[in-house]
């Protein structure tokens, strides 16, 4: 084998030599400028190909134009033969590879591909034949169905007027359809189901739009037509309309007629009709007839709604034993809900846990929750109703209901009944029993213990026992840290103690656990307001306003915060909205008048102050402002009416009487002013201001009583001066020496008023003195149009301080769990 292998010797040529040598003939860089090469290319088929675009054919390589001087398109020219260039021959080279498909080398010069012999222009379109009567009827029937669907959709979205309009249009189209069938002699093909659907939908839309007479007439058309099978059950709908019209005898009549039309095999529908009959009897006050219907339902197909209505009828008749039996029967009703264990996660089975994530809040689960909630609500409400009736004391009745629940399938409700029992004690203001009841839950289940501790904390907070409130708030939080009510109670305790920063933290934590906790959000806003974080407080109340749209407390706080931020326009706007919600709130009306008064708009301020006075004519600041307004307006006679009202509200205040007399004096009625001053002097004989004005008027009128009043004035002034000297000397002696300690103790207790020397003055010492005896002296020559001791209307800052905590008393309200 190795003999056939030839090895190259050194003397032989290298078989791979010369490949790296450069050969000029193989250089392709200059072929574009080589004229000989370009001519050779033009003689080939490649050179005679059409240019890809028209632009290149116009100014490009010579020889690319088609014959006749016209440029051919690539899609229509075909392939040009190779002999078309130099030889002048027009002979095309055959292309046998594509000839079978109909293509030739002639390009667009030959006939085009026409296997169906359809050369020439396209024939004109044939006119569409007219629709046949059957097709027209079919299209009209389709249109009627579409209108019925549109009517139903409009009803579901709440657009009742559009739904009725579509239903009427469907009725018109359906009548046209019936006439066309009759004209075409197709009466036997009338679609009764479509007619029934149109009439039934129209009647429903009439009833939805509360056009009851039209709905009843439409239902009568359906019921009286013998061609509609099972139309008799629509008398239930007619009975419902009569029920809405409060025509109860006719409602019962139609319910019973419908009951006769429904066969016994439809038990569920018969049960619902009988339930309607029982409810109508309850509305009519015929409880025995209602009990008959409800008892029949509880025997055939018991349900919670019927059982609850039966207990109410027994309660109305006052039958204790039957109430107990009815409650026991109610506890035997089956919820028809599968075992709750199917919603518990399995630690090992991942596929089951994935399925659980899908079904734990699906539509079926929501239905089960609603059914369970309705059942629990019926049981707890029934226990609240019958507990005071079945026993002498409601607590004993609650105990009986609790024992019955414990022995039933609804064992979990026993604790809720105990909580309800404590709340009943609260409504009766028996706080001791309520606290004892709630304390029994301290060692129970975590959830129940947290609820009980929350209520206990709230109770102690209402009683101002902050230590106990704090203790049970801590217990509630330790049992359930995520209980927002417990956190709010803790924050309330800190708020009451003045620790606003810590209270703010607890309110914020409550909102983190439950963003819809309105108590926490409201109290957080109040806390921010206390620590002068007005912007944060405003943000809290704006959020709360989005939840509680028409809450007067929230709207007031927003308006008050804008006022404190000196945003008068926003404050006025919010006060106006608040007046729209609470038009009879006198404090809000007065506050709005105050804002306009500060802005200088006296007419608007008067309007709101006057409205406040109309709703509450005993508000002294409002009365004072209105009186001052009329005096400033030079209508003193009108101001007298308001000061007389103030004198009725505060009969012991002499200043209102002095203002009345001053108004008479300002209006020029000196005789009436003199009579008023005499009445004041008779009631308050030591009043210095009254004596001064009496002396002044008598002197002006030339009456002889002037000297008498002057003598009394000097005596009153001297008495006042001696009293002040004794008070001053007593204070000086009491502070300098400690003798007569027993007399000082008696003096501090209010004994021997004005007799003992050397003791401190006490409020009791001046309590029996006339009001004006303690006022400052006024020059007799000075005549004040508002009276000598008139208190001017309060400024905006002073009234803002008075109204700052108008709704702050609500801190901690509504903390009881639902």
């Amino acid at each position: 084998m190795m003999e056939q292998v030839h090895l190259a010797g050194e003397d032989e040529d290298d078989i791979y030599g010369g490949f790296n040598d450069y050969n000029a003939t193989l250089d392709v860089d200059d072929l574009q400028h080589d004229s000989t090469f370009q001519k050779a290319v033009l003689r080939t088929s490649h050179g005679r190909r059409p240019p890809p675009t028209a632009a290149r054919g116009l100014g490009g390589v010579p020889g690319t134009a088609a014959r006749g001087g016209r440029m051919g398109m690539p899609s229509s020219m075909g392939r040009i033969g190779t002999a078309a260039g130099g030889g002048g021959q027009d002979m095309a080279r055959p292309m046998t590879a594509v000839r079978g498909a109909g293509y030739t080398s002639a390009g667009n010069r030959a006939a085009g591909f026409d296997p169906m012999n359809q050369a020439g222009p396209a024939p004109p379109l044939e006119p569409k034949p007219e629709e046949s009567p059957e097709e027209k009827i079919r299209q009209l029937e389709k249109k009627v169905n579409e209108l019925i669907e549109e009517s139903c959709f409009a009803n579901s979205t709440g657009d009742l007027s559009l739904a009725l309009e579509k239903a009427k249009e469907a009725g018109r189209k359906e009548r046209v359809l019936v006439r066309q069938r009759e004209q075409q002699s197709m009466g036997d093909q009338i679609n009764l189901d479509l007619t029934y659907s149109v009439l039934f939908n129209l009647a429903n839309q009439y009833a939805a739009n509360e056009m009851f007479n039209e709905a009843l007439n439409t239902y009568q058309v359906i019921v009286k037509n013998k061609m509609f099978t099972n139309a008799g059950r629509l008398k239930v709908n007619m009975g419902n309309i009569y029920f809405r019209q409060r025509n109860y005898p006719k409602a019962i009549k139609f319910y019973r007629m419908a009951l006769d039309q429904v066969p016994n095999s439809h038990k569920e529908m018969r049960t619902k009709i009988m339930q309607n009959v029982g409810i109508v009897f309850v509305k009519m006050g015929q409880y025995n007839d209602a009990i008959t219907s409800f008892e029949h339902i509880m025997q055939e197909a018991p349900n919670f709604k019927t059982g609850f209505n039966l207990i109410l009828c027994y309660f109305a008749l006052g039958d204790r034993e039957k109430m107990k039996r009815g409650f026991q029967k109610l506890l035997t009703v089956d919820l028809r809900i599968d075992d709750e264990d199917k919603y518990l996660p399995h630690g090992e089975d991942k596929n089951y846990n994935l399925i659980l994530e899908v079904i734990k809040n699906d539509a079926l689960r929501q239905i089960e929750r609603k059914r369970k909630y309705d059942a629990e609500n019926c049981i707890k409400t029934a226990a609240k109703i019958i507990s005071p009736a079945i026993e002498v004391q409601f607590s004993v009745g609650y105990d009986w209901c609790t024992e019955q629940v414990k022995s039933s399938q609804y064992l979990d409700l026993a604790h809720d009944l105990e909580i309800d029992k404590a709340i009943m004690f609260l409504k009766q203001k028996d706080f001791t029993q309520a606290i004892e009841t709630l304390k029994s839950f301290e060692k129970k289940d975590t959830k129940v213990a947290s609820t009980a501790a929350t209520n206990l904390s709230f109770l102690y907070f209402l009683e101002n026992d902050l230590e106990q409130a704090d203790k049970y708030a801590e217990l509630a939080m330790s049992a359930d840290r995520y209980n927002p009510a417990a956190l709010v109670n803790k924050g309330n305790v800190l708020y009451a103690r003045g620790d606003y920063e810590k209270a703010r933290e607890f309110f914020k934590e409550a909102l983190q656990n439950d963003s819809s906790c309105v108590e926490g959000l409201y109290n957080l806003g109040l806390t921010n307001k206390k620590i002068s974080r007005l912007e944060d407080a405003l943000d809290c109340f704006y959020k709360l306003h989005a939840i509680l749209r028409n809450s007067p407390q929230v709207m007031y706080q927003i308006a008050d915060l804008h006022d404190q931020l000196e945003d008068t326009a926003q404050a006025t706007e919010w006060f106006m909205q608040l007046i729209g919600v609470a038009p009879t709130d006198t404090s809000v009306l007065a506050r709005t008048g105050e804002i306009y008064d500060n802005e200088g708009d006296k007419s608007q301020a008067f309007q709101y102050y006057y409205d406040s006075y109309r709703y509450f004519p005993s508000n002294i600041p409002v009365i004072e402002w209105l009186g001052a307004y009329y005096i400033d307006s030079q209508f003193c006679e009108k101001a007298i009416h308001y000061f007389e009202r103030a004198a009725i509200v505060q009969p012991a205040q002499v200043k209102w009487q002095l203002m009345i007399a001053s108004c008479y004096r300002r209006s020029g009625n000196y005789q009436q002013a003199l009579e008023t001053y005499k009445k004041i002097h008779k009631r308050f004989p030591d009043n210095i201001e009254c004596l001064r004005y009496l002396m002044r008027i008598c002197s002006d009128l030339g009456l002889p009583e002037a000297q008498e009043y002057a003598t009394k004035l000097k005596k009153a002034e001297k008495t006042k001066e001696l009293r002040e000297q004794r008070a001053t000397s007593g204070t000086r002696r009491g502070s300098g020496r400690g003798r007569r300690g027993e007399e000082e103790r008696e003096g501090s207790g209010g004994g021997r008023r004005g007799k003992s020397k050397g003791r401190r003055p006490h409020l009791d010492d001046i309590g029996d003195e006339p009001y004006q005896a303690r006022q400052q002296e006024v020059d007799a020559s000075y005549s004040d149009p508002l009276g000598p001791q008139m208190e001017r209307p309060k400024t905006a800052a002073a009234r803002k301080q008075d109204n700052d905590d108008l709704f702050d008393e609500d801190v901690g309200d509504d903390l009881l769990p639902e």
Side-chain angles (χ1 to χ4, degrees), residues 11-53:
D11 54 346
E12 294 182 3
D13 296 334
D14 186 5
I15 59 176
Y16 297 104
F19 284 97
N20 293 329
D21 296 340
Y22 174 76
N23 189 354
T25 59
L26 299 178
D27 188 2
V28 297
D29 294 337
D30 295 331
L31 290 179
Q32 186 177 0
H33 305 287
D34 191 348
S35 58
T36 306
F37 178 78
Q38 292 295 334
K39 290 180 181 180
V41 169
L42 288 176
R43 293 190 181 96
T44 63
S45 61
H46 179 81
R48 288 190 298 270
R49 289 181 182 177
T53 60

Side-chain angles (χ1 to χ4, degrees), residues 395-467:
S395 58
V396 181
Y398 253 109
D399 293 338
W400 182 87
C401 293
T402 304
E403 291 299 327
Q404 296 299 320
V405 170
K406 287 181 179 179
S407 60
S408 67
Q409 57 181 329
Y410 304 102
L411 178 63
D412 297 338
L413 291 179
H415 296 315
D416 293 339
L417 290 181
E418 291 288 344
I419 297 291
D420 293 341
K421 178 182 175 182
I423 295 174
M424 287 294 292
F425 280 124
L426 288 178
K427 291 181 179 180
Q428 295 186 356
K429 298 184 179 180
D430 191 351
F431 298 109
T432 305
Q433 291 291 337
I435 291 173
E436 290 181 0
T437 305
L438 293 172
K439 283 184 177 180
S440 63
F441 291 98
E442 292 184 10
K443 297 182 180 180
K444 295 291 181 65
D445 181 65
T446 303
K447 181 179 179 181
V448 179
S450 178
T451 304
T454 301
N455 289 336
L456 282 170
S457 176
F458 176 65
L459 280 175
Y460 284 119
F461 182 80
L462 293 180
E463 293 180 349
N464 204 22
D465 190 350
L466 299 182
E467 293 184 2

